[in-house]
Amino acid sequence: MFEAANIRDWIGLPVVDEAEDKVGTLESIYYDTATSEPTFGALTTGLVGFHKLVFVPLVGATVAPKHLRVAFPKKLVKDAPSIATDGELDAATEPELYQHYGIEYRTGSGGERRLGRR
């Protein structure tokens, strides 16, 4: 396992937790608007017809040829704030997302959002 030079190359591949339990499929990457660093992954989870996107921090994530491993347990990820697969992460949900994982949340100096999807 190693850190990815370009995490976007793993979009569409399975995401597993530290116990190798499948959590979902990497759908997109959300970047920190201040640093342009990949910060959260959006994962497709759920049953057929009832899919949703959940978010997981990419800190400590490693990659293998066929999956991305995140440093958070499956249960914590599955209970994270989510959006519809065709939805957008709104600004009001960002603080909840960071709080869910115990990460400090700060907006930019002008109050701008912390996360942006590319």
Side-chain angles (χ1 to χ4, degrees):
M1 299 296 244
F2 55 93
E3 285 190 37
N6 187 357
I7 193 76
R8 293 177 62 100
D9 292 342
W10 274 258
I11 289 177
L13 292 179
V15 176
V16 299
D17 69 3
E18 67 273 348
E20 299 283 327
D21 286 334
K22 183 176 179 188
V23 179
T25 302
L26 186 61
E27 191 270 342
S28 58
I29 307 295
Y30 283 74
Y31 291 81
D32 186 310
T33 57
T35 65
S36 295
E37 292 294 319
T39 306
F40 277 87
L43 314 181
T44 304
T45 64
L47 303 172
V48 175
F50 298 101
H51 286 149
K52 63 181 180 177
L53 293 178
V54 296
F55 297 87
V56 63
L58 295 175
V59 64
T62 55
V63 295
K66 296 186 180 182
H67 67 265
L68 170 71
R69 180 186 292 160
V70 294
F72 296 88
K74 181 177 182 175
K75 172 118 176 73
L76 183 64
V77 176
K78 294 281 189 169
D79 292 341
S82 64
I83 60 173
T85 54
D86 61 350
E88 292 184 27
L89 179 64
D90 63 35
T93 305
E94 281 187 15
E96 294 173 37
L97 184 57
Y98 278 77
Q99 181 181 16
H100 179 77
Y101 289 104
I103 302 169
E104 182 182 357
Y105 179 78
R106 283 182 274 167
T107 59
S109 60
E112 56 274 342
R113 293 184 68 162
R114 183 84 184 263
L115 296 175
R117 182 178 170 182
R118 291 192 205 150

